[in-house]
Amino acid sequence: MTIAAWTVIASWLIAGAHVASASQREVAAARARLWAGANTLAVLSLLLGADGTHVGAGLIVDVESLSFATVASLTTSLLMLATSRSELSRESAMRVLVWTAAALVVFFAQALWLLALGWMLGCIPLVLRRDAKKLSGMMNLLTVGVLPLLAAVIWSHMVGGTLDVRTLHLAGGTHGGILVLILIAVATRLGIAPFHGWVPTIAANNSLEARFLIVPLPAAYLLLHASAGFAQAFQADQPWLEGVTLASAIYFGLLAYARCEQWWSALYLALSQSSLIFMAICATEALTVEGGLVLLVSEVFAIGGLLSCAALVRSRRGDVGLQRFHGLGTDAPVLAGLSFVFGMATVGLPFSLTFVAEDLIAQGLLVPHPMLAMGFVAATAINAIGMVRHFGRTFWGAKSPVRCPDVRSIPRAALTILAIFVVIGGVAPQVGLMAVTGSHVEQVMHAAVR
Amino acid sequence: MGIQSSLGAMVVGIALTTALTTGALFTFGVRRESLYVRVVRTGFLVAFAAAVGLCVMTALLGPQEVMLGTWFSVGTHAFDLRLAIDLLSASLLVLVFGACSLIGHFSRTYLHGESGHSRFYFLLSVFAFGMVLIVSVESLDFVFVGWELVGITSALLIGFFHERSTPIRHGLRAFATYRICDVGFLTAIVLLHHFAHDANMHPAHNVWAIGEGLTASASTWVAIALLFGAMGKSAQFPFGGWLTRAMEGPTPSSAIFYGALSVHAGVYLLIRAAPLFEASPTASVALCVVGVLTAITATLTGRVQSDVKGALAYATMTQVGLMFVEIGLHLPELAALHLVGHAALRTSQFLRAPAILHELHRVHGALPREFSTGRHLERVFPRRLAEFLYVHAIERFHVDQFLDRVVVRPFFAFAGLLLRVEHKLAATSERHDLAGQQTHREVHS
């Protein structure tokens, strides 16, 4: 099983190399989509055939790691299909494929150093850019998002603790410092304020990469394990962690109002929701951690879909300003409908998976942290109003004289599948919840109780 | 399963099925008007019959709890769909389906040929399902689900004519008001769970009782949070500005939302929470003050409206304000009667509004002499005071301007300030700077 996992990781990397060697843009796009689909099927087949925990060759393969890998692979495939051809350049497709391989290394890694390697691998393709102007933002990601994690690994090695990701254990007295380093790396990858300096740089130019980087899977995975491994230090830091993440959620929610362009507004709303995931996991209550995990899965699909729709609008009409109504819904009703579903799913309309997650988080918070629960409620309200404003200004209003073509059949199918996941997950969430309950969450809960 | 349970399940099931069917038709691009009308009319009429049966059975057999299932559960936390069937909820179910059937029938011809015909029927059926949840489920957690569905459908129907910017602006304003006040509702749920470890409205659970976890001060806070939540949906002072703006929607939606049902959702919630207000004099006083202020400002403003739907909207606000006062005076039964009677009357008035001039001419023609059209204030107050009140009523007592100045503008100014902070924090690009300047201009304009 571990060899199969390595094969899948290698396959994603080979896909990146194969796409990079394509002579034409169209060929690269076709290759990227085919590779992504085939690799997703491979990961899915591993998940379906999973039995127990397999350890070896530096990897640990079980239902939990395979579930994360499947969600990441599926997201890559669907978002790649949902991306317009103009956006899917050879370089961006290669970067996304390598990012997925790196994410899989993070999920399967048994040792913390291998996880850190995968973590770094996911960032490097972004730094290797021709555009020197953008380098500062990329370096920001690399230095603040990667170096603290590497420092944490080296420090852990020096103090001689267990570096197994699943059973992190260190000598007393060092937990706090190492945890802070890990949290800085996680917060940077999740784009939590004030560690989000790299986000505007990536988002300004290539929305495809932004979509993948903001999907918070690897960061949330590491956060979960860190919260379990360093439970005591985590609980000591808990109040300020929760406060910072809630403030970050509200900060991004307000920025979504201040920004004039629909792409940026959607991006900040996505970042705000990502902050809530961090907050939920940091609360280390049974319900909040489960809610955080459900929110993670929900937001991966919903944010991915929302940003894809925003990028499709951007690729058709440039930066659409939110100062006035654009009426794009008349020309592109399917795109408008999908944007509405993803937007509402992102902010937790009833019968979406996010609603279930937010209910669990609120229920988990309200007894031990009622003030935090109220702040959480306020943050979701701010985001909901921002999302409806974002949608209304973009898709409602008098028909624009400049035509906006509707979404084509392949992206439409991909986005519809994403939307179905979000809606079905919300209407019948019990299956997903059972999967979450049986996994690492209980370990986190027990660690927190200890 | 007893007959009450079966009827309760049937009512919820039909509402859900109707919403899902119209949703599926809408999603798959079916736009045949007659199909939507048939689905909605059949569904609502059957549900209406079931609701009448439920009402009769409840009057005969007494209240009952009906467990329909669990939406999801984790550990000890379960999101149960449990109905609390008593005479109040059963009669409101009759009202919901009676009004929805009527509106479904009326809209067949009223919206015939409109491009949003199918959208209207889809939203109407989602709204009906939301209302069913509000009036029949016993957990406040699940009431909030219905509350949200009603809010979003209301905003979407206000912006029904989405090719014009005014209805959309008004729809967004209504949604923003709802969501701001929903913070109060959610806070009440949080507080209830925190203090009483339950958010169940059914009298059998006794969640509102002092001493069962709720202290006197806690019950005051819960009651005030609930009041804040209800003020948005029921358009009470100072959040009532959205209601007249909501008249931009098609007349049938105005009738069902702002005449019959949606605007009364807050009243229903407060009737359910009446024991809480009885235990808390502070909250009762706050409720009466809000109701009285709304009733006075709305009745004065309604008198200077030049359009019939605006006048009806203010008349609705006045009556709902009086219902708040009735609950504050610990007369929830009276408020419930008032609610049902007012909903029926106002629906009829809204539906007749488009033909009001025609009817007026007919009445004038039938009468031997002109009849008086108002001037009530001059009879009660001195002329100068009446003029003063009229002048301020035209400006809606400057409430909206005040809220804009005190809440909306500072909010956007603060957001603009954060954006400037963001420039300092984040690696900025040229495009980013430009956007910031635009926002700055927008905020300051």
Side-chain angles (χ1 to χ4, degrees):
Chain A
M1 203 65 161
T2 51
I3 300 299
W6 270 123
T7 312
V8 171
I9 292 167
S11 175
W12 280 104
L13 285 172
I14 292 166
H18 191 211
V19 168
S21 68
S23 55
Q24 288 177 336
R25 190 190 190 94
E26 286 76 16
V27 176
R31 279 183 189 175
R33 286 170 174 173
L34 278 174
W35 271 109
N39 287 338
T40 303
L41 285 178
V43 176
L44 196 63
S45 64
L46 285 181
L47 176 67
L48 294 175
D51 54 339
T53 304
H54 300 265
V55 182
L59 301 186
I60 179 162
V61 181
D62 59 3
V63 174
E64 182 192 325
S65 56
L66 280 167
S67 304
F68 269 91
T70 307
V71 173
S73 305
L74 198 61
T75 313
T76 302
S77 299
L78 290 174
L79 292 191
M80 218 170 243
L81 286 171
T83 304
S84 64
R85 271 177 286 178
S86 61
E87 274 187 297
L88 199 59
S89 68
R90 197 171 48 185
E91 289 79 13
S92 60
M94 182 271 289
R95 284 184 194 125
V96 167
L97 291 168
V98 174
W99 176 89
T100 312
L104 261 58
V105 173
V106 170
F107 303 142
F108 290 130
Q110 188 195 1
L112 195 59
W113 65 265
L114 186 59
L115 186 149
L117 198 68
W119 190 269
M120 195 164 64
L121 183 67
C123 299
I124 283 178
L126 296 166
V127 183
L128 301 175
R129 300 169 75 99
R130 293 175 198 157
D131 190 352
K133 276 186 186 174
K134 310 293 179 240
L135 199 61
S136 63
M138 299 304 109
M139 290 310 289
N140 183 329
L141 172 63
L142 195 65
T143 50
V144 190
V146 176
L147 289 185
L149 185 59
L150 292 177
V153 174
I154 293 166
W155 190 356
S156 308
H157 185 69
M158 284 165 62
V159 297
T162 310
L163 292 183
D164 191 316
V165 175
R166 301 297 175 95
T167 53
L168 285 171
H169 180 71
L170 298 171
T174 54
H175 287 194
I178 292 171
L179 181 65
V180 166
L181 288 173
I182 291 177
L183 287 176
I184 289 173
V186 169
T188 308
R189 277 297 288 273
L190 272 175
I192 306 291
F195 301 101
H196 64 290
W198 58 274
V199 176
T201 317
I202 288 185
N205 250 10
N206 194 328
S207 53
L208 177 65
E209 289 160 23
R211 254 172 284 163
F212 282 92
L213 277 166
I214 286 163
V215 166
L217 275 170
Y221 181 83
L222 177 57
L223 181 64
L224 264 177
H225 287 277
S227 66
F230 305 112
Q232 280 183 335
F234 207 83
Q235 291 215 315
D237 293 334
Q238 194 187 30
W240 68 264
L241 275 176
E242 290 168 347
V244 166
T245 45
L246 182 61
S248 170
I250 293 174
Y251 175 74
F252 287 127
L254 291 172
L255 281 183
Y257 286 89
R259 291 308 303 244
C260 296
E261 310 88 347
Q262 63 95 28
W263 162 252
W264 286 98
S265 177
L267 188 82
Y268 281 120
L269 285 167
L271 284 174
S272 178
Q273 292 293 120
S274 291
S275 302
L276 294 178
I277 297 172
F278 196 119
M279 189 200 80
I281 296 175
C282 286
T284 58
E285 295 295 329
L287 282 177
T288 61
V289 176
E290 293 191 20
L293 275 175
V294 176
L295 188 61
L296 172 68
V297 175
S298 163
E299 295 295 2
V300 165
F301 293 136
I303 289 176
L306 174 73
L307 292 181
S308 294
C309 291
L312 285 171
V313 171
R314 200 186 195 198
S315 68
R316 284 157 167 71
R317 293 291 302 274
D319 272 329
V320 171
L322 295 180
Q323 302 97 322
R324 62 184 182 86
F325 296 96
H326 291 272
L328 302 188
T330 315
D331 277 338
V334 176
L335 185 57
L338 288 166
S339 294
F340 185 77
V341 171
F342 288 124
M344 291 296 106
T346 302
V347 294
L349 184 78
F351 299 110
S352 69
L353 199 51
T354 311
F355 180 86
V356 175
E358 289 182 350
D359 177 71
L360 290 176
I361 294 170
Q363 295 288 345
L365 285 176
L366 54 85
V367 174
H369 315 284
M371 294 308 289
L372 201 66
M374 285 184 219
F376 174 73
V377 165
T380 55
I382 289 172
N383 288 353
I385 298 170
M387 187 59 74
V388 172
R389 171 180 172 270
H390 165 268
F391 173 80
R393 300 255 167 163
T394 309
F395 291 102
W396 285 340
K399 187 180 173 184
S400 167
V402 184
R403 208 171 164 274
C404 174
D406 207 347
V407 56
R408 288 166 192 272
S409 52
I410 293 178
R412 181 186 298 195
L415 289 171
T416 307
I417 292 170
L418 272 177
I420 288 170
F421 275 128
V422 170
V423 175
I424 297 288
V427 173
Q430 198 57 43
V431 179
L433 282 173
M434 280 162 67
V436 165
T437 311
S439 70
H440 190 68
V441 174
E442 287 178 353
Q443 190 186 339
V444 174
M445 282 150 41
H446 291 152
V449 170
R450 273 204 309 273
Chain B
M1 196 184 251
I3 188 158
Q4 267 173 297
S5 308
S6 308
L7 287 171
M10 195 172 154
V11 168
V12 176
I14 292 170
L16 178 62
T17 310
T18 310
L20 288 177
T21 311
T22 51
L25 289 174
F26 186 73
T27 308
F28 291 112
V30 179
R31 295 289 180 266
R32 240 178 72 201
E33 288 186 7
S34 58
L35 193 57
Y36 283 88
V37 173
R38 210 171 298 154
V39 168
V40 167
R41 211 162 48 178
T42 310
F44 287 170
L45 280 175
V46 175
F48 177 70
V52 170
L54 186 64
C55 200
V56 172
M57 295 311 297
T58 309
L60 293 174
L61 303 174
Q64 194 180 5
E65 282 185 81
V66 181
M67 176 67 175
L68 291 184
T70 301
W71 183 13
F72 61 88
S73 65
V74 175
T76 54
H77 172 64
F79 214 106
D80 290 333
L81 179 51
R82 195 188 290 267
L83 306 184
I85 303 297
D86 57 6
L87 214 46
L88 177 63
S89 58
S91 26
L92 284 180
L93 281 173
V94 174
L95 179 70
V96 167
F97 285 109
C100 286
S101 305
L102 189 67
I103 297 298
H105 184 71
F106 179 85
S107 308
R108 190 185 66 158
T109 44
Y110 190 85
L111 291 174
H112 173 65
E114 282 283 351
S115 58
H117 184 278
S118 47
R119 182 159 40 100
F120 175 83
Y121 274 94
F122 168 47
L123 292 174
L124 178 66
S125 50
V126 174
F127 164 75
F129 178 58
M131 279 308 298
V132 167
L133 290 182
I134 289 177
V135 301
S136 62
V137 295
E138 66 174 21
S139 159
L140 275 179
D141 297 327
F142 229 120
V143 169
F144 185 72
V145 175
W147 195 263
E148 282 290 285
L149 289 179
V150 168
I152 192 79
T153 47
S154 167
L156 291 174
L157 277 172
I158 294 169
F160 180 78
F161 300 108
H162 59 75
E163 60 285 354
R164 290 189 286 123
S165 62
T166 316
I168 310 166
R169 279 182 205 283
H170 293 174
L172 295 179
R173 186 180 178 110
F175 184 77
T177 311
Y178 287 159
R179 281 307 300 218
I180 289 166
C181 291
D182 286 354
V183 173
F185 189 3
L186 283 169
T187 304
I189 296 175
V190 167
L191 291 174
L192 268 178
H193 276 286
H194 186 69
F195 290 109
H197 306 292
D198 197 359
N200 205 314
M201 294 194 297
H202 197 271
H205 289 259
N206 214 15
V207 70
W208 311 118
I210 306 288
E212 293 285 321
L214 271 182
T215 59
S217 65
S219 70
T220 301
W221 285 113
V222 174
I224 287 175
L226 274 178
L227 169 61
F228 188 74
M231 281 161 70
K233 206 66 108 206
S234 291
Q236 294 298 288
F237 185 88
F239 300 113
W242 65 266
L243 187 64
T244 41
R245 292 179 170 87
M247 297 302 139
E248 289 283 351
T251 295
S253 75
S254 302
I256 190 85
F257 279 84
Y258 318 117
L261 300 175
S262 168
V263 79
H264 293 115
V267 177
Y268 171 78
L269 187 67
L270 296 179
I271 291 174
R272 283 289 183 201
L276 209 57
F277 287 94
E278 282 167 24
S280 166
T282 313
S284 297
V285 170
L287 186 55
C288 288
V289 168
V290 168
V292 166
L293 275 175
T294 308
I296 291 173
T297 53
T299 189
L300 289 170
T301 314
R303 282 160 206 280
V304 294
Q305 295 301 302
S306 55
D307 66 303
V308 64
K309 279 176 78 177
L312 284 175
Y314 280 108
T316 304
M317 278 166 70
T318 309
Q319 294 302 317
V320 174
L322 293 178
M323 289 173 213
F324 271 50
V325 174
E326 287 157 10
I327 300 166
L329 294 174
H330 309 147
L331 301 166
E333 294 85 359
L334 179 63
L337 275 176
H338 194 166
L339 187 163
V340 176
H342 178 250
L345 171 71
R346 207 59 80 191
T347 307
S348 137
Q349 287 181 327
F350 268 110
L351 291 182
R352 289 169 61 185
I356 194 79
L357 280 178
H358 177 72
E359 287 197 10
L360 197 65
H361 289 151
R362 242 180 37 193
V363 172
H364 273 248
L367 286 174
R369 62 183 177 83
E370 289 282 311
F371 53 76
S372 167
T373 53
R375 305 178 68 83
H376 302 100
L377 271 191
E378 288 83 338
R379 289 182 205 156
V380 180
F381 296 123
R383 185 184 165 81
R384 288 181 69 109
L385 178 60
E387 280 175 2
F388 174 82
L389 289 174
Y390 275 137
V391 166
H392 288 282
I394 288 171
E395 291 295 331
R396 299 171 186 177
F397 294 93
H398 309 278
V399 175
D400 288 349
Q401 290 95 318
F402 177 76
L403 285 179
D404 278 347
R405 193 173 301 162
V406 174
V407 180
V408 180
R409 278 192 219 168
F411 177 84
F412 277 100
F414 183 60
L417 178 73
L418 288 184
L419 190 61
R420 288 198 289 282
V421 173
E422 172 71 4
H423 285 256
K424 304 284 180 199
L425 285 176
T428 56
S429 66
E430 218 169 287
R431 193 192 296 271
H432 204 79
D433 285 333
L434 180 67
Q437 285 159 16
Q438 281 173 352
T439 306
H440 189 68
R441 277 201 296 277
E442 187 188 13
V443 166
H444 286 86
S445 68

